[in-house]
Structure formats: C-alpha cells, structure tokens
Amino acid sequence: MTDTSSTTVPDAARESGEARGPFYITTAIDYANGEPHIGHTYEKILADAIARYHRLAGFDTYFLTGTDEHGEKISKAARASGRSEQDFVDDLATRAFRGLWDRLGISYDDFIRTTEERHKAYVREILQRVYDTGDIYYAEYEGLYSVGAERFVTEKELVNGILPGDKEPPELRREANYFFRMEKYQAWLLEFLQQNPAFIEPAGYRNEVLEMLREPIGDLSISRPKSRVPWGIELPWDDNHVTYVWFDALLNYVSALEAVGRPELFERAWHVIGKDILKPHAVFWPTMLRAAGLPLYEKLVVHAHILAEDGRKMGKSLGNAIDPAALVTEYGPDAVRYTLLRETTLASDSPYGENILRSRLESDLANDLGNLLSRTASMVQKYRGGVLPAPGEQTERERGVEARARALPGEVLAFVRHLRVNQALEAGMEFVRDLNRYIAEQKPWELARSEETRERLDTVLYTAVEGLRVASVLLEAAIPTKARELRAQLGLSDTRYALAGDWGLTPPGTTLQPGAVLFPKPQPREGEEAAAPAPARRKDRT
C-alpha cells in the first residue's frame, strides 16, 4: 500500500470554496452477540472524530451507529445464556454498546437497532421491491458455510481451511434458499469502481475488491429457513424464511434516514467499516442498492485492525485482548480517544495497548498540552491577577504564531477529508509544541521583572492564551471533554468555536478560572519508577 508519510496537504482539499453542505457518516452496526472489543471502540472513535471535525467546520453533519441483532449466532448465544433473543440483544445494545459509546462521548445523532420496527418495515419494503423486479429467485444450493460470518464462502477466501476472522472451518451445507441475482450487477460494479477510484479508500482495499470482481462472484443467498434460523425478519412473500442477516443489516444505513425523513442524505454517506467486512459492504451492498433502484453512497472508508503491542493478533483466546471499558475507567475517555486515533492508521494493522497509551498520554497530553495550560494560567494569575491583558505590538514571532493559527484549520480539515486523522492531530499538537517553544524563547518570567517590558509581557501572555484556545479547537474532535475543560480554565466555558482560521477571539479582560490538572500523568505501576518512555515518532500513513 502507498506510503503517505509526507504531511503535505493535498491542494484540492485546501480550496477555500469547499462546500459545507450535508455530510452523513455511518459506522458498521455491531453484531450484538458479545461485549464490545477494542476494534469496535476504535471504529466508533474514528467515525466520531471525523463527524466532529465536519461539524466544527460547518458541515450539516448526521452521524449514525447502532447494533445488528438478528441471525444464527445471536440465537445460539441467547439460548446459551438462558434468555430470549430479544432480552439478550436488549441488554447488549443498551448496556454494553450504547453504554460504552456514551461514556466515550460518541456524538451519534441516531442509534439504530435492526430489531426496531422502523428498520424491519423498510427491509420488507426493499425485499419486496427487488423480488418484484425478478432479481430474487428460489433454488437449492450446496456449499461451504461460515457460521462466524453467516454466509457461504469460496475455497479461495479460506486461509489454511478457515475464513480469516473465524475460529472454525466452514461446514458443508445444502439447503433451499432465496437468492439475489448479484452476479447480474458484477460488470456494472467493476466498471464503476474503475471509473471512481475514490469510492473505496484507502486504495489498497479498492484493489482487493477489483480482484474479487475479476472472478465470478455468484448470486447471494438472502434467506434462511425459519425452521433452522427462527430469529430474523420474515420474507414478505414467504413466512417460512427469514432474511439473511447481511441483506437485513446493510439496509440500516437507509432505513434510519427514512425514519427521520432525510433520505437525501444517503448520497453523501461515508461508511466507516473494518477490513474484515469489506466484501459485504463493497460487493453485496452496492449491488443491492442498484437492484433496489437506490443511489450509491459517496465513500467506503476501510480501516485495518488493532494488534497487540507486540504486533500479534489480539484475542481472548490468546490472553492479550484489551477491555475498552476498563481502559476508559482507568485513563478517562479522552486519553483513550486521542491515543487510539494518534497511534493507528487505516491501511495497515496498528499495535496498541496500555504501554502505548500511557506513553502517548504522558508525552502529548500531559507534558505538551497540559503543561502549556498550567504554566500559562499560572503566569496570567501571577503577573496579571488572573485577568488576560490586551496585547501590545506584535513581533515577527507573534505574527508567525497567528499566521500558523489561521492556516491550520484548513490544513487539519484537509487531512481529515483525506482520511489522515492521525496527521490532523499531529498538526494540532505541533502547534502546541511551538507555543511551548514560544514561551521558552520569550521568557515571560524575565519580562515581568521590569515595568519597561510590561507591554511585551502582555503580548506574550495574550499570544499563549489565544494560542491555547486555537489548540483546543484543533484537538476538540479527539478530546471533546478536555477541550471544553481547557477553555473553561481560560474563562471561555460558555463559548463554542468553529474550526476556522480566526485569531483574537479571546477577549482581553477575560478572567481565567483555575482548574484541575488537565491530564494527570499516569501513576507508575508496581515495579515501575516512571511511565514508559514516549514512543518513537512513526511515519504516518493512511
């Protein structure tokens, strides 16, 4: 995959006239057969950060997430727990998934569940529509069936006899189902992807789909006998069959909009998904939309996996799984959000764990950002009684800080629009480090010794405070709670700011409000003298 370690912002995204119209972003809806894991968590944080950046930049943003609650695996898991399927998914959807997303500050506008009537009614409507066109037929089929993925698979998809992501080999099944004529749309989809290279990003995943489409893809089994899988949406023309979970689940991206009367948003949709469900979203979904006479979405954003710190695959059976809820309890939501976004890339699997979190928390959030706020607020308190002075004449150094502050919002949005969220955060954090350098260079403690340098001290203090306000906006998508706390300490608690190239928005005379340490350094664990050293700066890739 292409290395994009350069921090050069693509020119096309820097155009000042970029539209600020509707922006619709979705995540994959999580399969409610177990507790959320770190991969679920990363995806929601990633989509949330992209949504927040767009809102700050003035886009009319709508953000959807939810849970996928039908299918064979859920039915089996519910029976094993001694509960009904509905009770089982009710608990996971509300307590486990929605509960964790709310703790993390995931700013979804809607949380859809596939067991809701608004969704089921829409699924039945689309099924009937496609059936009436003749694109659904009844046939008997024998093939390899993945219970984990709940679909028939081909030998070519298997690695050492197992579908990647599954625990068990697929089983040979023969049964009569209804099929969607997916192969009918194969040539159309191949041509579309060739003509629209930005439809699937990063590019490596688009290339994978192109390879899939150069081989026969077959038709798609879209029902299961109710006698075997009773937990699902019945087909409108045959109540002995329930809808295949993927044909059901994928329609959530449209059913949610239909329910709130905003179907026009769908053409602006960015779907954020993991690479393990690339085929359903990149092959099943576009062909389903085509058959139903619905428009295509704008972009499929695919992310890689989170690995253990040692680079191995993560999982409960390997004893190296991360409990995201425990991380949030220990370190707080903003530290988890920032470190996951900063340490991961879309195109390649990224290691993550508590040591990486602690190192980045100490280096970026505590030492760079937290220390800047603490020393700046302390100096305003000590030298000006806690009241922000009006700045005097700027030197070239202040003009440079202001120019950077004005340029950064456009650059940050460009990184986000090109799916380089980690680089967007690094750009904001580099501005914070420059403010720290600025204070070290200007030495306000020395300026405070003489009345002759009073005006110069005022300019330095104002520049530091206004720079912190700008930094809070640049980083708000990753650390929303702490960004607001930072501004509260600057005396700006009731004010929200856009991601825009503004300077001088902190009014002179504002009284700073002392507060708690923004990001306490992680306490040494047993046997440690200090937190692990900061990780080496990695190349940033999408």
Side-chain angles (χ1 to χ4, degrees), residues 263-460:
E264 75 283 353
L265 286 180
F266 185 69
E267 292 180 78
R268 306 300 294 271
W270 285 19
H271 295 322
V272 179
I273 67 160
K275 67 178 184 179
D276 53 326
I277 52 175
L278 176 61
K279 184 174 183 178
H281 281 84
V283 179
F284 300 178
W285 186 217
T287 56
M288 286 166 54
L289 290 169
R290 183 74 169 179
L294 294 171
L296 286 185
Y297 49 92
E298 183 176 324
K299 190 183 297 291
L300 187 64
V301 178
V302 188
H303 64 80
H305 290 166
I306 305 295
L307 302 176
E309 288 184 316
D310 60 6
R312 292 188 302 153
K313 183 180 177 181
M314 193 182 295
K316 289 182 180 179
S317 61
L318 299 174
N320 60 359
I322 295 174
D323 179 358
L327 278 189
V328 173
T329 299
E330 178 72 19
Y331 298 102
D334 286 43
V336 175
R337 290 172 60 101
Y338 177 86
T339 54
L340 263 174
L341 292 170
R342 188 65 190 83
E343 290 294 328
T344 51
T345 60
L346 298 188
S348 57
D349 296 343
S350 302
Y352 184 76
E354 198 168 356
N355 289 322
I356 291 173
L357 184 157
R358 289 166 65 88
S359 294
R360 186 64 77 176
L361 168 58
E362 181 169 17
S363 63
D364 287 15
L365 300 178
N367 288 348
D368 290 342
L369 181 61
N371 186 51
L372 175 63
L373 174 63
S374 178
R375 69 197 299 203
T376 299
S378 296
M379 289 187 295
V380 174
Q381 185 67 42
K382 182 176 181 180
Y383 304 136
R384 295 295 180 261
V387 178
L388 181 65
E393 184 178 352
Q394 289 184 329
T395 67
E396 184 178 349
R397 186 68 170 95
E398 282 83 42
R399 287 192 292 272
V401 172
E402 178 180 342
R404 194 76 192 109
R406 290 185 180 279
L408 270 170
E411 295 181 12
V412 163
L413 180 60
F415 281 132
V416 173
R417 295 286 288 172
H418 286 76
L419 304 174
R420 304 179 189 178
V421 175
N422 55 350
Q423 290 180 277
L425 292 178
E426 175 58 17
M429 197 55 67
E430 179 52 38
F431 182 68
V432 168
R433 288 191 284 268
D434 187 55
L435 289 173
N436 276 312
R437 288 192 294 268
Y438 169 74
I439 290 174
E441 295 163 4
Q442 302 307 312
K443 301 177 181 177
W445 48 90
E446 292 186 3
L447 297 174
R449 295 174 185 168
S450 171
E451 191 64 26
E452 294 179 358
T453 53
R454 179 182 181 88
E455 182 179 308
R456 180 73 194 137
L457 175 60
D458 290 347
T459 301
V460 171

Side-chain angles (χ1 to χ4, degrees), residues 217-230:
I217 60 172
D219 290 340
L220 179 65
S221 172
I222 56 98
S223 76
R224 300 292 180 264
K226 199 172 178 181
S227 58
R228 182 170 64 79
V229 184

Side-chain angles (χ1 to χ4, degrees), residues 467-534:
L468 270 165
R469 181 200 65 80
V470 171
S472 77
V473 180
L474 295 173
L475 299 170
E476 184 172 337
I479 54 169
T481 302
K482 293 297 184 179
R484 291 192 294 272
E485 288 180 16
L486 186 159
R487 290 199 292 269
Q489 293 194 38
L490 298 181
L492 305 170
S493 57
D494 296 328
T495 310
R496 296 187 68 84
Y497 298 91
L499 185 67
D502 296 318
W503 183 261
L505 300 188
T506 307
T510 298
T511 300
L512 275 66
Q513 304 294 326
V517 174
L518 193 65
F519 284 101
K521 291 185 179 181
Q523 293 297 310
R525 292 172 292 191
E526 187 175 350
E528 288 183 337
E529 294 185 2

Side-chain angles (χ1 to χ4, degrees), residues 149-317:
E150 297 205 41
R151 66 179 176 89
F152 286 99
V153 298
T154 64
E155 291 277 3
K156 191 172 182 179
E157 293 180 79
L158 307 181
V159 177
N160 296 323
I162 299 178
L163 185 72
D166 280 2
K167 295 179 181 179
E168 302 292 337
E171 56 190 52
L172 186 65
R173 282 190 181 178
R174 182 182 183 87
E175 64 183 21
N177 292 325
Y178 286 91
F179 286 79
F180 163 54
R181 298 186 192 277
M182 186 167 66
E183 198 163 67
K184 171 181 174 181
Y185 298 98
Q186 180 173 354
W188 161 80
L189 181 57
L190 178 61
E191 182 180 4
F192 177 82
L193 290 179
Q194 290 170 333
Q195 294 177 353
N196 295 273
F199 185 70
I200 301 175
E201 293 192 70
Y205 300 116
R206 172 178 168 269
N207 294 336
E208 287 184 33
V209 177
L210 289 173
E211 287 302 311
M212 293 179 198
L213 294 173
R214 291 186 178 110
E215 301 286 339
I217 60 172
D219 290 340
L220 179 65
S221 172
I222 56 98
S223 76
R224 300 292 180 264
K226 199 172 178 181
S227 58
R228 182 170 64 79
V229 184
W231 184 240
I233 301 172
E234 292 179 355
L235 298 184
W237 63 87
D238 187 345
D239 59 9
N240 290 316
H241 283 253
V242 297
T243 310
Y244 168 49
V245 68
W246 273 114
F247 203 103
D248 163 3
L250 289 165
L251 287 166
N252 90 91
Y253 305 125
V254 188
S255 67
L257 296 180
E258 290 285 343
V260 296
R262 301 195 69 184
E264 75 283 353
L265 286 180
F266 185 69
E267 292 180 78
R268 306 300 294 271
W270 285 19
H271 295 322
V272 179
I273 67 160
K275 67 178 184 179
D276 53 326
I277 52 175
L278 176 61
K279 184 174 183 178
H281 281 84
V283 179
F284 300 178
W285 186 217
T287 56
M288 286 166 54
L289 290 169
R290 183 74 169 179
L294 294 171
L296 286 185
Y297 49 92
E298 183 176 324
K299 190 183 297 291
L300 187 64
V301 178
V302 188
H303 64 80
H305 290 166
I306 305 295
L307 302 176
E309 288 184 316
D310 60 6
R312 292 188 302 153
K313 183 180 177 181
M314 193 182 295
K316 289 182 180 179
S317 61

Side-chain angles (χ1 to χ4, degrees), residues 83-140:
R83 288 177 287 176
S84 71
E85 287 95 342
Q86 193 64 59
D87 286 346
F88 182 77
V89 295
D90 284 348
D91 172 62
L92 284 170
T94 55
R95 173 192 57 80
F97 287 97
R98 195 163 189 168
L100 180 57
W101 305 158
D102 289 348
R103 289 181 65 195
L104 282 162
I106 305 302
S107 61
Y108 53 84
D109 295 286
D110 193 1
F111 188 99
I112 188 152
R113 299 177 54 190
T114 58
T115 52
E116 293 175 335
E117 185 55 39
R118 60 170 174 162
H119 175 74
K120 293 192 288 186
Y122 188 74
V123 170
R124 288 190 288 264
E125 176 187 330
I126 295 301
L127 280 166
Q128 189 66 57
R129 184 186 303 179
V130 178
Y131 182 75
D132 289 345
T133 67
D135 279 345
I136 292 177
Y137 62 92
Y138 189 71
E140 193 171 74

